[in-house]
Amino acid sequence: MTEPERGGPRGSDPILSVRHLTVRAPNRTILDDVSLDFEDREVAAIIGPSGCGKTTLVRALNRMAEVAPGIRIEGSVRYRGEEIYDPAVNPVLVRQRIGMVFQRPVPFPMSIYENVAFGLRLQGIDEEELDRTVRRSLEQAGLWKELDGDVERSGLTLSGGQQQRLCIARALAVKPRILLMDEPAASLDPTATQRIEELIFDLRKEYAVILVTHNMQQAARVAERTAFFYQGRLIEYSDTHQLFENPREKLTESYVTGRFG
Amino acid sequence: MDEPHPPGDRSGPDRPPAFLGPPAPAAPAPPRRERSLGRWLGSPLALAPLLLLGIVVAVLAIASEGQNFGLSFWGPVWAFNPTDPAGSTYGIALFALGTAITAGAALLLASGLSLAISIALTVYLPPRTSRVLTTLTDLLAGIPSVVYGIWGFVVLAPYFASSLEPTLRNALGWLPGFGGPESAIGGGSGLLLGIFILTLMVIPLTTAVMRESLRSVPRELVEAGLALGATPWEVVRRVRLRVARRGLWGAVFLGFGRAVGESVALAMVLGNTVQFPPSLYGGSSTIASFIFTQLDSAFFYPELLRALVEFALVILILTIAFNLLGQRAVSEVRPRAVAGAGGRA
Ligand SMILES: Nc1ncnc2c1ncn2[C@@H]1O[C@H](COP(=O)(O)OP(=O)(O)OP(=O)(O)O)[C@@H](O)[C@H]1O
Ligand SMILES: [Mg+2]
């Protein structure tokens, strides 16, 4: 895959374009013919009731879905015009461009430094560059100051919110263009959640962020666009304000007004 | 020597969390080690294994009549004189050397092989193949040592003598242990065959423990590695092996404990000579195999019997030490590895 220019003018081409994406497990269809576009330097929220396929969608966007046994994927996902499901494309490269943060903070049982350096070491980055990138990533994730320079302690000694920001720093260190976040604040308290939201707000300046969330206020606070999923289908995808205040679909309306789900 | 938990206690803090559903609201955890240890020591059940161990040690100690062979017991000279059993020298060092060489080399080989097998089983092979192979390696654990011994003696020894050992001697003669006098090759019984048989015998145990340690690596950590752009092999090296490290060492210790105590099979393939082995092709004896081969004559010589009982005490202590080390490592791997992991993300 070609490395895109950073900091160029904001184009109108979507950074990620999903067409007729269908994901099946052995006995059921998890995602059914989903098509939507994601823009660079924007936050898009994915909402919908539990089990509607949100996690499956984001996992299908960086070829993590296929890691689970028995999952079959059809359709097309283009990253800057390039098909990520092309058999010639190495999933490892896709995952470097499209990073991921999981629902539960899962630091490796290693030092904070090694956690952040993990992806870089795979690419054989030299030590000096490594130090710089680790520091920059921790700063971006708002952890550097809190750590007071102590990056040698185990990542497991951090609080839950700090661990999640460590996981974000770890993902940022690889220099992705897109960050997939699957309910990154679901296991955190309100203060830690707020910090993550502020972080997401900042990240938009450099990245495309695709944020799965259960929390509609969160979507309203941080996302430009919101997609509502129901039973594996994309029901509505539009400007966040419009989706919440003036939904086109009845289903969306009843969901955002809390009448089900 | 099992993990100190009274039977029926499934609420112990060491219990790995179920992988289904969200975790229950966390009760404030009391200091883990103290509580379980305190409870364990407080229960009468805890005394059972200790009592048993105490009895075994006591019986052995009494049987040896505390006979003090002095410094020569730890020395390399074994000079048993039937006409003067009291004035004979009963040194353990040569046999300890035999034990160290056979068990050490066997564990080196078995650890490498088991690691490769368990990585293949947990990461690379399709689930069905993996299940079949798991059953097969577990079955190997049930083969009695005599069977290994007779197979080694009847089938392998002639082959070792006629082709394997001469070939190795020619090709690797410059390596310490692989050269030596041609006469050492003899009938094929010897250290090399002993190591080979012992390796086969510990592989089921080390493989089972390594496999379970690797399996207990949370899927979330594996996926986190993949999501950062690691290949499956890089995830093995940098995540799985690292997270499972303690359990893998536990496998090595447990295997060592097992190998140190093996007697019958080794007595059948080691040649049972009392000598400083001239090479890997030469005969040898381990502490355990020597006890086994000397029992007959010991019947008539109380001093000899006492020396053998003290040999047994040495093995007992070694085995317990290695098993304790192994158990500790294996039991600690789980709670640590699953900390911060739960349901499917
Ligand atoms: N590997 C799999 N095999 C079989 N079924 C799966 C698999 N992965 C997901 N599913 C099923 O697909 C459905 C959608 O799952 P998914 O995790 O994408 O939902 P979700 O919207 O993220 O839900 P939640 O809000 O609870 O996280 C669920 O019913 C789930 O059981
Ligand atoms: Mg989900």
Side-chain angles (χ1 to χ4, degrees):
Chain A
M1 303 196 122
T2 44
E3 179 58 41
E5 283 285 314
R6 267 168 199 278
R10 197 173 137 178
S12 54
D13 282 347
I15 190 162
L16 203 60
S17 139
V18 180
R19 289 293 173 273
H20 307 295
L21 181 70
T22 298
V23 179
R24 290 183 226 276
N27 49 359
R28 56 173 299 191
T29 302
I30 305 175
L31 279 182
D32 189 4
D33 194 27
V34 170
S35 299
L36 76 172
D37 286 343
F38 297 100
E39 303 296 325
D40 200 2
R41 286 160 235 251
E42 267 191 15
V43 178
I46 312 283
I47 63 169
S50 187
C52 70
K54 305 182 294 293
T55 296
T56 306
L57 173 70
V58 290
R59 286 170 63 93
L61 299 183
N62 71 340
R63 296 198 58 176
M64 283 300 291
E66 66 208 51
V67 169
I71 294 291
R72 279 182 305 131
I73 300 154
E74 294 152 27
S76 141
V77 176
R78 286 176 178 272
Y79 166 77
R80 302 182 80 102
E82 213 177 328
E83 177 57 52
I84 69 167
Y85 281 103
D86 188 305
V89 166
N90 184 349
V92 164
L93 295 181
V94 174
R95 294 173 196 147
Q96 282 172 8
R97 302 282 188 275
I98 308 177
M100 187 162 207
V101 175
F102 297 85
Q103 180 167 352
R104 290 171 58 108
V106 278
F108 299 120
M110 315 170 183
S111 71
I112 292 167
Y113 186 95
E114 285 305 323
N115 262 282
V116 183
F118 186 93
L120 299 167
R121 287 201 190 281
L122 299 171
Q123 302 176 19
I125 308 278
D126 70 72
E127 293 293 319
E128 211 175 299
E129 170 85 33
L130 208 61
D131 279 355
R132 250 181 290 129
T133 312
V134 167
R135 178 175 175 156
R136 205 182 87 93
S137 308
L138 286 169
E139 281 169 352
Q140 269 184 301
L143 253 186
W144 182 258
K145 281 211 189 73
E146 280 166 54
L147 291 176
D148 230 4
D150 183 8
V151 290
E152 290 309 323
R153 59 194 252 234
S154 163
L156 296 173
T157 63
L158 298 173
S159 73
Q162 288 174 324
Q163 287 190 7
Q164 192 59 299
R165 278 182 283 141
L166 175 61
C167 292
I168 294 173
R170 182 172 78 179
L172 295 178
V174 186
K175 301 198 169 73
R177 295 295 289 117
I178 304 177
L179 202 57
L180 309 172
M181 304 176 104
D182 188 1
E183 303 192 47
S187 59
L188 305 180
D189 65 44
T191 321
T193 301
Q194 197 193 337
R195 299 234 30 194
I196 301 275
E197 282 182 21
E198 286 163 7
L199 179 54
I200 294 170
F201 208 81
D202 286 342
L203 289 175
R204 123 187 36 223
K205 291 174 198 139
E206 284 181 67
Y207 307 86
V209 177
I210 299 173
L211 170 73
V212 172
T213 178
H214 252 120
N215 178 332
M216 282 179 269
Q217 284 78 41
Q218 185 171 71
R221 281 192 298 266
V222 301
E224 272 93 359
R225 292 158 181 264
T226 299
F228 170 62
F229 280 79
Y230 184 67
Q231 295 187 347
R233 284 169 207 273
L234 173 61
I235 304 298
E236 185 164 353
Y237 180 42
S238 58
D239 183 87
T240 300
H241 290 290
Q242 172 172 347
L243 188 123
F244 282 112
E245 281 146 31
N246 191 11
R248 284 192 305 267
E249 304 287 331
K250 268 249 145 333
L251 261 174
T252 318
E253 188 182 350
S254 48
Y255 183 72
V256 299
T257 52
R259 259 177 278 153
F260 80 90
Chain B
M1 297 290 99
D2 225 322
E3 226 335 54
H5 263 310
D9 176 8
R10 305 299 297 142
S11 65
D14 284 355
R15 184 184 154 214
F19 272 80
L20 292 168
R32 197 181 105 209
R33 209 145 278 292
E34 256 167 54
R35 194 178 121 211
S36 56
L37 195 67
R39 257 213 260 130
W40 180 64
L41 283 179
S43 88
L45 265 174
L47 297 179
L50 281 182
L51 203 67
L52 206 65
L53 190 62
I55 292 174
V56 173
V57 173
V59 166
L60 284 179
I62 292 168
S64 76
E65 291 172 22
Q67 180 161 338
N68 186 0
F69 296 104
L71 267 186
S72 68
F73 178 76
W74 303 107
V77 182
W78 175 271
F80 174 62
N81 179 357
T83 58
D84 181 18
S88 298
T89 315
Y90 304 95
I92 198 175
L94 271 183
F95 311 106
L97 180 68
T99 299
I101 294 176
T102 49
L107 255 297
L108 214 63
L109 295 173
S111 304
L113 280 169
S114 295
L115 193 59
I117 296 172
S118 36
I119 289 174
L121 286 177
T122 48
V123 185
Y124 289 103
L125 294 177
R128 190 164 306 154
T129 322
S130 172
R131 265 199 301 279
V132 172
L133 285 179
T134 298
T135 317
L136 275 180
T137 44
D138 285 352
L139 270 181
L140 287 183
I143 298 179
S145 355
V146 248
V147 176
Y148 280 105
I150 200 89
W151 177 61
F153 185 74
V154 175
V155 180
L156 291 180
Y159 167 74
F160 270 54
S162 64
S163 42
L164 183 66
E165 293 188 345
T167 313
L168 278 180
R169 188 170 167 275
N170 282 337
L172 300 173
W174 48 274
L175 270 176
F178 286 90
E182 195 161 10
S183 59
I185 288 181
S189 295
L191 279 173
L192 197 67
L193 185 56
I195 290 167
F196 185 83
I197 292 288
L198 202 52
T199 304
L200 286 187
M201 293 179 72
V202 293
I203 276 181
L205 174 64
T206 47
T207 304
V209 178
M210 287 188 174
R211 187 186 67 214
E212 291 315 311
S213 308
L214 285 176
R215 278 207 182 132
S216 77
V217 173
R219 216 182 88 188
E220 289 171 326
L221 285 180
V222 170
E223 294 199 339
L226 291 172
L228 287 169
T231 61
W233 173 241
E234 284 166 338
V235 170
V236 167
R237 270 182 39 221
R238 291 167 191 259
V239 180
R240 293 188 202 254
L241 291 186
R242 243 176 133 140
V243 174
R245 194 174 40 198
R246 296 187 68 89
L248 299 178
W249 278 110
V252 177
F253 289 132
L254 289 175
F256 209 82
R258 167 96 174 72
V260 163
E262 180 50 46
S263 59
V264 182
L266 286 181
M268 293 166 88
V269 299
L270 262 186
N272 305 321
T273 50
V274 181
Q275 61 170 355
F276 185 85
S279 70
L280 281 176
Y281 317 120
S284 179
S285 297
T286 67
I287 305 176
S289 75
F290 190 67
I291 297 176
F292 181 75
T293 55
Q294 295 303 300
L295 267 185
D296 267 357
S297 23
F299 196 66
F300 304 101
Y301 306 101
E303 288 86 355
L304 175 60
L305 186 61
R306 283 179 212 130
L308 294 183
V309 169
E310 289 183 10
F311 278 25
L313 269 173
V314 170
I315 296 182
L316 180 68
I317 290 165
L318 280 177
T319 323
I320 289 175
F322 280 109
N323 281 343
L324 277 179
L325 275 175
Q327 291 284 358
R328 256 186 72 102
V330 170
S331 70
E332 274 178 24
V333 77
R334 261 141 242 228
R336 237 176 58 114
V338 289
R344 205 176 53 76

